[in-house]
Amino acid sequence: MVYYYNNCVNIYFFCLCKCWFSGKYEKKIIFDFTFLYKYYSTIKNRKLRNNDPLFWLQYATCCTEDGNFDMAEQFFKTARGCARSGWNHFQIDNREAIFLIKKSLVLEDYSTALPLLKKAIKLINKGFSEKMSDRIRKIIRPAALYADFWEQYYEDILANNAEKKSFTNAIFRAVKYIDDLPDVERSHPEIETIKLKLLALKCLYEE
């Protein structure tokens, strides 16, 4: 009992750290995922867990944060398989978009990374059509990773006009989503930061 209690405390602390720290500060946190893997592995075959899409989504998110992309991909598939008919896939789509772009960044091969980006863009754009005012920041958050993709693969993007146009359209779509938000949401520091990161990619849309 004490073992599970301590693990729950650590998971809660991890969630708090993710909320408190972002950007460059987040990278200063050295987090050991071993206990999380052990925790999820211990309970994954329990009746209330093995058919729960949110459980597998949490497991996939943990693997994504740890850079264990093969396991993450497997658990995203399991989460979708467990999702009941009529179940809203937004949370899976949102976290999988982040997974896809993060995975693309470690491949260091544009031809392999590009299909992952395109799939992520589809999921992100799908999220823009969701009418959920309580999840606005979560909806736009994956689009912030466009800047990271650009930083790593900008030479390849600029070398192909069709891909440059496609990537530019994805950025414009994200910026338009932000511009269409109510003032109170649009002025949120996180959303303003994401918009600035996207608009900073001027060479993509300058003629």
Side-chain angles (χ1 to χ4, degrees), residues 91-195:
Q91 293 188 71
I92 299 177
D93 292 344
N94 184 266
R95 295 305 309 185
E96 188 170 5
I98 293 173
F99 152 75
L100 288 166
I101 299 181
K102 286 190 173 184
K103 181 179 179 180
S104 75
L105 297 176
V106 302
L107 294 177
E108 298 183 354
D109 176 58
Y110 183 66
S111 63
T112 308
L114 184 60
L116 299 181
L117 174 70
K118 289 182 176 180
K119 185 176 179 181
I121 289 173
K122 287 182 179 180
L123 294 175
I124 292 169
N125 288 345
K126 180 182 174 185
F128 291 155
S129 65
E130 297 282 353
K131 305 299 182 183
M132 295 182 289
S133 59
D134 60 325
R135 295 181 177 179
I136 287 174
R137 290 191 291 279
K138 180 175 284 189
I139 289 171
I140 191 61
R141 202 167 284 150
L145 294 174
Y146 289 161
D148 298 310
F149 190 90
W150 159 257
E151 184 177 348
Q152 180 146 328
Y153 297 111
Y154 68 91
E155 291 182 350
D156 299 287
I157 296 172
L158 293 176
N160 186 302
N161 286 332
E163 291 169 9
K164 173 185 173 182
K165 182 177 180 181
S166 176
F167 193 49
T168 303
N169 288 340
I171 293 171
F172 281 162
R173 180 77 183 273
V175 172
K176 185 179 186 306
Y177 175 80
I178 294 174
D179 287 341
D180 290 342
L181 292 175
D183 289 344
V184 65
E185 289 292 348
R186 193 169 59 248
S187 61
H188 188 279
E190 181 182 6
I191 291 181
E192 287 186 334
T193 299
I194 292 173
K195 182 177 178 179

Side-chain angles (χ1 to χ4, degrees), residues 58-103:
Q58 291 168 9
Y59 206 161
T61 300
C62 170
C63 293
T64 299
E65 294 296 326
D66 192 34
N68 193 337
F69 297 115
D70 289 338
M71 282 184 66
E73 184 173 9
Q74 175 188 339
F75 295 147
F76 276 117
K77 289 179 180 178
T78 304
R80 290 192 183 279
C82 292
R84 299 173 296 280
S85 177
W87 199 80
N88 189 333
H89 284 246
F90 165 73
Q91 293 188 71
I92 299 177
D93 292 344
N94 184 266
R95 295 305 309 185
E96 188 170 5
I98 293 173
F99 152 75
L100 288 166
I101 299 181
K102 286 190 173 184
K103 181 179 179 180

